[in-house]
Amino acid sequence: MTNRREKLFGSGLLVIFIILVVSVAFNSDWVNAFDSSVTQLMANAYLPLNTAIFNIVTFLGSPLTVIILTALLCVWLFFKKQVITSLWLGGIQLAGSAITEIVKQVVARPRPINQLVPDTGFSFPSGHTFCTTILVLSVLSLLLPKIHDEENKLVVRLIGIGFVAVSRVYLRDHFGSDVLASVILATGYWLLCAAYEAPIKSFIQRFLPERMKSL
């Protein structure tokens, strides 16, 4: 995707996210209908094995776990002498997580009732889904030169992001619109960060010690 297309597509996704924010905040009928449809779709999937699997998935996709994994990725990049990339990816994850938390507090949407795994805080958007989406896109940005089949790239994205998103709805910790909004926000945010990768990295480099600027 070209730089211009990243900017346009990323901006378009953020506009869609804002529309979702307003719709959820005002309890729009179409959002309620969408959430009800997703909940009904999940109704036939409740089995002990599925619950056990999604419990594991939601733990692995928790913001804390994902941020730890992101930190490990950044440390690995640091020792591979990719310091700027390490700081860039770490900054994207941390700044994005902060944005998600701010939106949660502003919208203040209560979580669904009868949660299978009790969770605290507000529901919209899903922090699990957002952080996982950013991590998957971060890893893919490093692997893309080695993945030449576009279909394989899409499959990798869907597997990594989809399992966590579905687990949050299945466990009744989020509504369908929560996870949809998170994927849209994370993708739009990532595309804009990627579009401005060069100036952001140049800005980071200005604050590094001289001996690290060449790494």
Side-chain angles (χ1 to χ4, degrees), residues 178-192:
D178 296 337
V179 298
L180 174 63
S182 290
V183 173
I184 291 172
L185 172 61
T187 305
Y189 167 71
W190 171 266
L191 287 173
L192 288 179

Side-chain angles (χ1 to χ4, degrees), residues 12 17 20 30 34-35 53 57 59-60 69-70 75-76 107 112 119 128 134 137 146 148 153-154 161 175 199 207:
F17 174 74
L20 272 169
W30 77 265
F34 174 78
D35 289 336
I53 291 172
V57 171
F59 170 76
L60 294 175
L69 292 174
T70 301
V75 169
W76 178 76
V107 177
D119 203 348
H128 283 67
I134 294 298
L137 293 175
K146 300 178 183 179
H148 302 292
K153 295 176 188 177
L154 179 61
I161 299 167
F175 298 100
F207 296 93

Side-chain angles (χ1 to χ4, degrees), residues 31-157:
V31 172
N32 293 330
F34 174 78
D35 289 336
S36 295
S37 298
V38 174
T39 300
Q40 291 173 8
L41 191 63
M42 290 286 179
N44 296 325
Y46 288 106
L47 298 170
L49 178 59
N50 289 344
T51 302
I53 291 172
F54 283 129
N55 261 314
I56 296 171
V57 171
T58 202
F59 170 76
L60 294 175
S62 69
L64 177 59
T65 302
V66 172
I67 287 174
I68 290 173
L69 292 174
T70 301
L72 292 174
L73 174 63
C74 291
V75 169
W76 178 76
L77 288 170
F78 183 87
F79 284 107
K80 294 286 288 185
K81 297 185 178 181
Q82 298 183 47
V83 177
I84 305 297
T85 299
S86 171
L87 295 173
W88 179 64
L89 291 179
I92 289 175
Q93 183 67 268
L94 292 176
S97 297
I99 292 170
T100 304
E101 189 57 35
I102 290 170
V103 175
K104 277 180 178 285
Q105 298 302 319
V106 171
V107 177
R109 186 186 203 185
R111 290 185 183 273
I113 59 174
N114 301 321
Q115 298 174 32
L116 295 184
V117 177
D119 203 348
T120 58
F122 295 119
S123 183
F124 181 92
S126 166
H128 283 67
T129 307
F130 179 90
C131 290
T132 299
T133 302
I134 294 298
L135 178 60
V136 169
L137 293 175
S138 296
V139 172
L140 279 176
S141 72
L142 302 173
L143 296 179
L144 282 180
K146 300 178 183 179
I147 303 176
H148 302 292
D149 190 325
E150 290 296 329
E151 291 183 0
N152 287 340
K153 295 176 188 177
L154 179 61
V155 168
V156 172
R157 289 187 180 98

